[in-house]
Amino acid sequence: MSGISEIDEYGYSDAELNDSHTYLLPALEAELDQLAPGIGSKQRVFDVGCGNGSIGAYMSARGWQVTGVDPSSEGIAQANKRYPELKLEVGSAYDDLAGKYGHFPVVVSLEVVEHVYAPRAYARTLFDLLEPGGTAIVSTPYHGYLKNLAMALSGKMDAHFTALWDHGHIKFWSFSTLSELLREAGFSEIRFERVGRVPPLAKSMIAVARKPDQ
């Protein structure tokens, strides 16, 4: 991301969903369905790290008005070609997104926080984008004692930590560390859901956090 993390060359060959979306998107949809009645007719959502636009298209097909940014110019080019009806632009979580786009009742950021060098700046951007009382939905690969132990015993640590993946994961989050990050940014009422596989070995976790009312 511009100025702090140079992942603007993160590659996208198409604008399709990927394998991780098979377990992430049903959970995302369930959370959005719970929020929709309290939001009313203007179901606006901001997608931080929108990638190739496939998640935005998924939300749009379910009635949400989607705006989003991603630092990958290739991803945004794929998104704009495939989903021209969505407002998706090149941008970074380190930019003043609230100043440019305003405030939203919901902010979504799936599988992004593990890529950023300055997670506190990222979390503050999510917080600033939200209206008072708004909700952030953040996912990242899950780490916990049993899963870490299982990976160590199975010899899969190298594959999991992706040291040879250009622009890949650089931060590895647990319930504790992600909760602390979100609390520092000002969020409250933080809860988690694990998705993919059985809970102790989950592939990812989804944090749902609320921006307090004024």
Side-chain angles (χ1 to χ4, degrees):
M1 293 184 180
S2 60
I4 300 176
S5 170
E6 297 299 330
I7 62 169
D8 56 312
E9 298 305 319
Y10 192 101
Y12 290 91
S13 60
D14 57 43
E16 302 300 321
L17 296 169
N18 63 44
D19 291 343
S20 69
H21 296 143
T22 60
Y23 52 85
L24 289 168
L25 293 184
L28 173 63
E29 183 175 358
E31 295 293 342
L32 293 175
D33 285 349
Q34 289 184 43
L35 293 170
I39 292 173
S41 59
K42 293 186 177 180
Q43 294 181 10
R44 300 180 305 117
V45 59
F46 197 98
D47 188 353
V48 176
C50 62
N52 63 5
S54 57
I55 296 171
Y58 182 92
M59 293 188 290
S60 178
R62 286 150 182 81
W64 290 83
Q65 300 172 35
V66 179
T67 304
V69 297
D70 196 278
S72 171
S73 56
E74 183 175 339
I76 293 299
Q78 294 281 357
N80 290 339
K81 180 180 179 180
R82 179 70 180 275
Y83 313 113
E85 71 279 8
L86 304 182
K87 185 178 181 181
L88 304 178
E89 299 177 347
V90 174
S92 164
Y94 306 128
D95 299 335
D96 180 12
L97 299 181
K100 181 175 182 178
Y101 297 100
H103 301 93
F104 295 76
V106 181
V107 170
V108 167
S109 189
L110 300 188
E111 308 297 278
V112 173
V113 67
E114 64 272 18
H115 293 275
V116 300
Y117 286 98
R120 288 180 175 86
Y122 160 88
R124 187 69 199 183
T125 294
L126 301 187
F127 188 86
D128 290 344
L129 275 166
L130 284 170
E131 299 171 351
T135 301
I137 302 172
V138 178
S139 82
T140 190
Y142 169 72
H143 292 88
Y145 174 76
L146 289 178
K147 182 178 179 181
N148 294 345
L149 180 61
M151 287 190 297
L153 292 173
S154 65
K156 294 183 177 180
M157 295 293 273
D158 278 350
H160 180 77
F161 287 118
T162 65
L164 298 176
W165 177 14
D166 290 344
H167 315 298
H169 299 174
I170 60 172
K171 300 282 187 179
F172 302 90
W173 299 92
S174 66
F175 285 173
S176 176
T177 53
L178 188 54
S179 291
E180 183 174 351
L181 177 72
L182 295 172
R183 282 196 301 269
E184 283 187 11
F187 287 101
S188 64
E189 300 178 34
I190 302 164
R191 59 181 174 83
F192 287 90
E193 178 180 355
R194 288 175 286 191
V195 294
R197 302 196 195 99
V198 296
L201 303 177
K203 292 185 176 181
S204 286
M205 58 185 177
I206 295 177
V208 181
R210 184 174 178 272
K211 180 174 183 175
D213 294 323
Q214 294 284 25

